[in-house]
């Protein structure tokens, strides 16, 4: 078996396996929680809702009855389901964004928040939660993310070129400025509940997820993520640097502008529903590289699936482990991600 | 005069490159002929790397024309250009783990549509390129674990997988031990013998004399001399361009230049 076949086989095995694990995880985690509900009841209830919907638009006969009572049905379909699907979308999008960021900046430490997007979003969230600006939280957060992205790109690309080093430094400058404003707003205004709410948002939480969150995060992942999945060939070309990428036919500056912007828009949409959940975008791409290698054709889809699985389980842990108290999922992802990252670091040191 | 239709030469005419107030290259004309190795010589900062980057398209020329056969390179898309001109940089490394075969597969990027997996032709060309570069035994190794000479072989294999008319190399023997240097130079000679035009920036004048069919000597961004190496690399030229005294010493297996400081004024 040649190496290329090995790579292709790794993808052919890992991707379907990942999708199966993802689907099973979705069903299993739907059953986890204070109200005991079995997978059978969930499948039965799903079938009831699907056939009812089909019947309503004139397809099929009388739907079977719902195995779940109204309250238990609401716990599953209004509580857990949107939250899980949001977790899956956010996890997939963050891991995908992280993989793309690491490739275009050629920096293994890059993560989706590199351009200051999360700090900008935090500023938007603070404006709503603490300063009482009367717009919906996700919209304010996304607007904040856009402002931060614009500032970073303007700062990094003054002369039209967008070098990785300058991009990273510009991102840090914008993030620090936003963080200072956020901290000041919290320090000077928040009391009790609003303090708790903003801290939970800053650490990243899926506690407030609704079907609206699913729509925002899911659509962003499907549309922008779909475009990013098609950029594998271009990202591969960056592996030995800009000149090498040019000699392989890539318009380096244009590719970097487009991909950085798309990644930041995707991240902005995700952060707007979940706050900034750390470590998923940083660590997942490294773990997946160990499994299938660094070629993006396999890395990107598998990172997305892996990120979805990881965040589904992390969020399930966040809402159940300290029951009845719920911890922000960002605390859990950092608690898991930091040791994994340290391990990767030590492992790479021995390889180099 | 008979013209071979397969022969595609590159003609660079009056190339110039300036950035802000610095004129890095001025009025440089070079021909890269199919089947021949052309060496670019000159002291540090004389414009060798700049010339290579202009030809590969990583820098836009401020003036001048690059013509590949009958086609103006400036009118060609980046991808079309990348199918014809391959570039091997000085020492390039990846930040992520990569298998050697995956590095060579990078050479197929300009030939492949987006979303596609490796075609049978891609895979066959990768094997053939590894074979030609003598890197088949390295194919399943991690690129980061290779020696400097092995890395250059792999980069040359990657460039061959691009199936280019022209191969540009920027100081491919830099930082290599003597055996690895000779190894890379003989590989470059084989590539040229198969019909590819080669342009190679190189520091070692004796190696250049052995490995190149023609040399172009750059000095402060202009061409100081061009032609067959033994005619060009005279003690007078070396003294004027490099500021050192040079003398050809002839041994049994080859000739070498021996250098000493110029006598003081």
């Amino acid at each position: 078996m040649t190496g290329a076949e090995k790579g292709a086989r790794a993808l052919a095995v890992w991707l379907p396996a990942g999708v199966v694990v993802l689907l099973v995880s979705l069903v299993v985690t739907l059953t986890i929680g204070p109200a005991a509900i079995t997978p059978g009841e969930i499948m039965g209830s799903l079938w009831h809702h699907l056939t009812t919907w089909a019947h309503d638009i004139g397809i099929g006969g009388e739907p079977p009855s719902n195995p779940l009572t109204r309250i238990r049905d609401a716990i599953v379909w209004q509580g857990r389901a949107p939250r899980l699907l949001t977790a899956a979308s956010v996890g997939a999008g963050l891991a995908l964004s992280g993989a793309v960021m690491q490739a275009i900046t050629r920096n293994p430490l890059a993560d989706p928040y590199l351009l200051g997007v999360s700090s900008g979003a935090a500023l938007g969230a603070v404006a709503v939660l603490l300063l009482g600006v009367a717009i919906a939280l996700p919209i304010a957060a996304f607007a904040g993310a856009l402002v931060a992205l614009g500032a970073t790109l303007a700062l990094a690309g003054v002369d039209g070129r967008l070098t990785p080093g300058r991009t990273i430094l510009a991102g840090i400058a914008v993030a620090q400025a936003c963080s200072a404003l956020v901290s000041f707003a919290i320090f000077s205004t928040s009391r009790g509940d609003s303090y708790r709410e903003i801290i939970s948002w800053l650490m990243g939480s899926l506690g407030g997820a609704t079907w609206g969150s699913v729509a925002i995060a899911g659509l962003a992942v499907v549309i922008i993520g779909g475009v990013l999945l098609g950029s594998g060939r271009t990202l591969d070309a960056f592996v030995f640097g800009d000149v090498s990428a040019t000699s392989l036919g890539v318009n380096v500056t244009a590719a970097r502008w487009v991909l950085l912007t798309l990644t930041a828009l995707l991240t902005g949409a995700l952060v707007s529903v979940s706050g900034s959940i750390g470590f998923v975008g940083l660590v997942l791409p490294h773990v997946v590289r160990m499994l299938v290698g660094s070629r993006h054709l396999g890395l990107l889809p598998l990172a997305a699936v892996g990120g979805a699985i990881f965040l589904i389980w992390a969020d399930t842990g966040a809402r159940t482990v300290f029951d009845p108290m719920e911890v922000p999922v960002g605390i859990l992802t950092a608690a898991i991600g930091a040791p994994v990252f340290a391990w990767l670091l030590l492992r790479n040191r021995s390889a180099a | 005069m008979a013209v071979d239709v397969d022969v595609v030469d590159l003609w660079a005419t009056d190339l110039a490159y300036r950035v802000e107030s610095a004129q890095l290259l001025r009025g440089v004309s070079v021909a890269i002929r199919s089947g021949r190795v052309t060496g670019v010589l000159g002291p540090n900062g004389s414009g060798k790397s700049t010339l290579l980057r202009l030809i590969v398209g990583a820098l836009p020329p401020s003036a001048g024309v690059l013509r590949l056969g009958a086609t103006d390179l400036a009118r060609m898309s980046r991808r079309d250009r990348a199918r014809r001109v391959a570039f091997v940089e000085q020492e390039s490394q990846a930040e992520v783990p990569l298998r050697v075969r995956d590095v060579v597969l990078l050479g197929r990027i300009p030939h492949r549509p987006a979303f596609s997996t490796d075609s049978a032709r891609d895979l066959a060309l990768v094997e053939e390129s590894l074979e030609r570069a003598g890197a088949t035994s390295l194919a399943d190794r991690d690129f980061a674990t290779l020696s400097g000479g092995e890395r250059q072989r792999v980069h040359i294999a990657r460039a061959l997988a691009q199936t280019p008319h022209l191969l540009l190399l920027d100081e491919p023997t830099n930082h290599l031990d003597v055996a690895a240097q000779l190894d890379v130079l003989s590989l470059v000679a084989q590539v040229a013998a198969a019909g590819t035009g080669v342009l190679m920036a190189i520091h070692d004048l004796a190696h250049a004399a052995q490995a190149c069919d023609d040399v172009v000597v750059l000095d402060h961004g202009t061409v100081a001399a061009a032609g067959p190496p033994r005619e060009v690399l005279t003690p007078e030229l070396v003294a004027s361009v490099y500021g050192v005294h040079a003398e050809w010493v002839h041994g049994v297996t080859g000739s070498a230049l021996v250098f000493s400081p110029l006598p003081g004024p």
Side-chain angles (χ1 to χ4, degrees), chain B residues 36-49:
Chain B
R36 292 177 75 83
V37 179
T38 304
V40 184
L41 306 177
N44 292 331
S46 58
K48 300 190 295 293
S49 290

Side-chain angles (χ1 to χ4, degrees), chain A residues 11-351:
Chain A
L11 180 60
V13 172
W14 283 108
L15 195 55
V19 172
V20 170
V21 172
L22 174 59
L23 293 176
V24 171
S25 298
L26 279 171
V27 175
V28 172
T29 50
L30 265 181
T31 68
I32 297 176
I37 296 167
T38 66
E41 287 174 311
I42 284 173
M43 298 313 284
S45 158
L46 177 63
W47 183 242
H48 162 81
H49 286 295
L50 285 177
T51 47
T52 306
W53 173 75
H55 183 71
D56 287 349
I57 60 167
I59 310 168
E62 210 41 45
S65 68
N66 192 345
L68 294 172
T69 62
R70 278 184 68 154
I71 288 177
R72 284 153 62 83
D73 191 76
I75 288 174
V76 172
W77 299 115
Q78 299 309 317
R80 294 179 192 171
R83 181 166 178 167
L84 276 172
L85 291 175
T86 305
S89 305
V90 170
L94 287 178
L96 189 57
S97 297
V100 173
M101 281 287 188
Q102 288 168 4
I104 30 180
T105 59
R106 294 187 74 220
N107 188 335
L109 295 178
D111 80 356
Y113 308 130
L114 194 68
L115 301 184
V117 169
S118 64
S119 310
L123 201 54
V126 164
V128 172
L129 296 175
L130 298 182
L131 309 180
V133 175
I135 44 176
L137 178 59
I139 293 172
F142 189 67
L146 285 186
V147 170
L149 168 66
T152 301
L153 289 181
L155 203 55
V158 213
D159 60 357
R161 298 177 60 221
L162 210 56
T163 60
R166 255 240 306 268
T167 308
I168 292 169
L169 292 177
I172 291 174
V174 170
Q176 292 297 324
C178 292
S179 296
L181 290 172
V182 167
S183 299
F184 180 71
I186 294 173
F187 177 77
S188 56
T189 62
S190 72
R191 302 278 178 275
D193 276 355
S194 72
Y195 184 72
R196 228 184 143 71
E197 200 176 352
I198 187 69
I199 288 296
S200 142
W201 196 90
L202 289 176
M203 288 175 173
S205 169
L206 295 158
T210 60
W211 283 107
S213 323
V214 178
I216 294 172
L219 277 178
V221 166
V222 168
I223 295 170
I224 302 181
V227 178
L228 292 178
L229 283 180
S231 70
R233 192 186 58 185
T234 305
L235 294 176
D236 281 343
F238 274 98
V239 75
F240 285 107
D242 288 10
V243 174
S244 164
T246 305
S247 78
L248 292 171
V250 172
N251 184 340
V252 168
T253 304
R256 195 168 269 138
W257 275 103
V258 169
L259 290 173
L260 279 179
T261 306
L262 285 177
T263 309
L265 286 177
L266 172 56
T267 307
L270 302 176
V271 171
S272 76
V273 300
S274 70
S276 56
I277 297 172
F279 279 95
V280 182
L282 176 63
V283 176
L284 251 293
H286 289 293
V287 174
V288 173
R289 262 187 217 106
M290 282 173 45
L291 298 178
V292 295
S294 301
R295 296 185 73 201
H296 291 86
L297 190 68
L299 172 61
L300 296 180
L302 207 58
V305 171
I309 296 169
F310 176 73
L311 203 55
I312 285 172
W313 283 104
D315 185 54
T316 303
R319 67 184 165 87
T320 55
V321 170
F322 297 96
D323 190 51
M325 194 185 86
E326 179 172 309
V327 291
V329 67
I331 293 179
L332 234 71
T333 58
I336 301 166
V340 171
F341 195 64
W343 173 69
L344 283 170
L345 216 73
L346 294 172
R347 189 177 166 279
N348 283 348
R349 190 194 56 178
S350 58

Side-chain angles (χ1 to χ4, degrees), chain B residues 108-195:
Chain B
R108 300 307 299 160
I109 287 176
H111 298 271
R112 214 165 52 199
F115 282 109
S116 71
T117 54
D118 313 317
S119 70
R121 177 173 154 76
D122 290 336
L123 295 176
L125 271 167
V126 166
E127 297 310 313
E128 188 192 318
S129 306
L130 281 165
E131 179 81 40
R132 283 178 68 190
T136 304
S137 63
L138 307 174
D140 291 309
R141 298 261 306 271
D142 179 354
F143 184 78
T145 66
L146 303 184
S147 72
E150 290 170 334
R151 284 182 196 179
Q152 282 306 12
R153 279 188 174 278
V154 172
H155 275 304
I156 292 172
R158 189 264 303 151
L160 291 175
Q162 249 171 291
T163 59
H165 294 304
L166 296 179
L167 173 60
L168 312 183
L169 303 108
D170 194 359
E171 300 187 19
T173 57
N174 224 5
H175 302 296
L176 300 187
D177 63 48
V178 181
Q181 291 187 14
L182 294 178
D183 215 39
V184 166
L185 292 177
S186 94
L187 174 55
V188 168
Q190 286 169 34
V191 172

Side-chain angles (χ1 to χ4, degrees), chain B residues 203-226:
Chain B
H203 250 304
D204 188 307
L205 300 182
H207 277 162
Q210 282 169 12
C212 301
D213 301 301
D214 306 287
V215 295
V216 176
V217 181
L218 295 179
D219 185 19
H220 292 100
T222 61
V223 176

Side-chain angles (χ1 to χ4, degrees), chain B residues 243-254:
Chain B
V244 297
H245 174 74
E247 188 182 342
W248 280 102
V249 175
H250 305 286
V252 184
T253 54

